[in-house]
Amino acid sequence: MREISFQKALEEAVAEEMRRDARVITMGTDFTGDPVKEFGPSRVRFTPISEAALTGMGLGAAGCGFRPIVNWRMVTFSFVAMDQIVNQASKIRYMFGGQADFPVTYRCTTGGGIGPGGAAFAEPVLDVDAPGRAQDHPAVDAGRRQGALEERDPGRQPRGLVRVQPAGRGHGPGARRRPRRAARRGRREARGTDVTIVALAYYVARSARGGRGAGARGHLRRGVDPRTLVPLDVETVRASVRKTGRCDRGRGAGHLPAASEIAGAHRRGPRDVSGR
Amino acid sequence: VAGKIYGAVHPYVGQEAVAAGRVRDLTVTDRVTSTHRGHGHCIAKGADVRRMMAELFGRVDGYCKGKGGSMHIADFAVGMLGANGIVGGGLPIACGAALAAQLEGQGHVTVCFFGDGAAAEGEFHEALNIAALWKLPIVFVCENNQYAANNAVAVQHPHVDIAVHAAAFDMPGVVADGNDVLEVYARTGEAVARARRAEGPSLLECKTYRWHFHAMRNTPPPETRPSDEILEWKARDPIARFERFGIDRGLVSAADIVTIRDRVKTDLDEAVAFADQSPFPDPKDLLGDMFAE
């Protein structure tokens, strides 16, 4: 199995989609590698730092038949574009009565909430309550295999809706061509018996990988990584809580109000065990 | 139609020359984005007034299956990419449509309508900047109706001409009499031709005025605009002016105009009847178009 970095995996995945489908274009302030060399400057767009414009342009171009990949870089930068994300992208297909599909992919990094830039290093997870798009959070560390990006079922993605997700293999803009794989399932990360920790993305390694973290008061963690926040794999979380009787949201899943409520019926212990 | 329209409706009355003057010569493959005051743009781009009315009535035969209402009417089949409930929200989407047109390379253009209020939004400046930078085939048409909601232009902008912003983005900026359909047509026609030649965007400002309240509601707020100002603008009614122009030049007779007005009234009566007989959406379709089927 080939071992490559997360960044390299994304770079290759975008290139693969662009090779396969001429309607895929990519926009961002910066690119790794040299995609302009292969795809030319009309499909690889260096942009000004204009998150609202880029987010809306992705929608407009998608509504006209293209499959844009917009790179916000960091999730915190995307908050500048909240009108386009929440008011426009999330609702556009529904409010127009499904007249058009808007297959745009927004990608960004999340997590890493410690750093010198207070404003830029903040919430790791985007608004979960806005409807109308899928939201994937692959927790793949640098050095883990690219194959980890494949485990999505395109057939269950909101068809033609906005997907807030990295443009990885199997769930990028032309993902429907690929064979169906296992459903968009959460993944069990650790087999501890005392408490279920639900965590996402970068925070899986921090919160859900098992062991007895100090903040967990010595509980043995049973980790669950939903991987896809919208739609959420409720059943995997519930199954874990049936075993442990306790549930909490680890770092990165703070915006996951459903997790503890979903599990509520099975919960028996105190909530404050996550190690946050 | 009293009591039959759901939600706020922002009437276009008084501003007709802007949509009619700009949109009628576009093709179906040219695209338009609109505003919360978008009925005129929809009609001019060729949307069906019956389906528009059904949408206002919240019925299934409306453009958005009755779930969008006045501020979301769209008809992608004729290149009408949608009204927009957010001031300035349509500008980035229009740039995306223009980007698509540029990539298609067929000489299609996008016309982006917005109001004077949008020029105070960040999205306006982001959109003009990137459109100019990439020479996108787009025409930005500002309908300056003198008020952003209830606040006069001079209260919101240091310069009452929105077109001055064009200079910062290195594009032509032109002010037109937005109550003169022929002037709108001529001025914006130059901008469309420029966009088709792949020479980049333009900013056209059409000075106009809305006759009615910002938004039609069951209980409208008291009118705060000066009454002599309203009368002055009503005297410049763009429809009456165009009728006079046609009669003075011997292009149409007074009888022709009566015929045209009757036909419009008949069309609207039919639209109301069409909307009235259309059913409300079935509650089981509440989440339709939201998730993957």
Side-chain angles (χ1 to χ4, degrees), chain A residues 123-142:
Chain A
E123 292 300 319
V125 172
L126 195 59
D127 53 295
V128 67
D129 289 333
R133 77 282 184 279
Q135 189 166 324
D136 291 341
H137 295 267
V140 187
D141 301 333

Side-chain angles (χ1 to χ4, degrees), chain A residues 13-68:
Chain A
V14 171
E16 191 180 304
E17 293 300 323
M18 293 187 76
R19 258 173 236 131
R20 210 179 46 70
D21 186 344
R23 294 171 301 163
V24 178
I25 58 173
T26 180
M27 297 192 275
T29 54
D30 209 358
F31 296 95
T32 58
D34 188 6
V36 179
K37 190 179 171 190
E38 180 176 355
F39 302 107
S42 64
R43 292 178 68 200
V44 179
R45 298 273 180 155
F46 283 88
T47 70
I49 303 173
S50 304
E51 288 86 0
L54 299 182
T55 304
M57 288 177 75
L59 280 181
C64 296
F66 286 85
R67 294 173 169 263

Side-chain angles (χ1 to χ4, degrees), chain A residues 153-175:
Chain A
D153 174 17
R156 279 192 60 193
Q157 287 182 359
R159 197 181 66 191
L161 298 187
V162 177
R163 303 162 191 152
V164 180
Q165 64 189 20
R169 282 173 62 113
H171 55 291

Side-chain angles (χ1 to χ4, degrees), chain B residues 193-216:
Chain B
R194 176 181 146 86
R196 285 204 204 283
R197 292 193 303 266
E199 290 172 12
S202 308
L203 173 60
L204 276 301
E205 178 186 2
C206 299
K207 304 279 194 188
T208 185
Y209 200 80
R210 64 173 155 77
W211 281 19
H212 298 308
F213 295 106
H214 164 63
M216 293 287 207

Side-chain angles (χ1 to χ4, degrees), chain A residues 8-9 38 55 79 126 177 271:
Chain A
K8 181 75 177 158
E38 180 176 355
T55 304
F79 301 163
L126 195 59
R177 201 192 66 142
R271 240 181 112 253

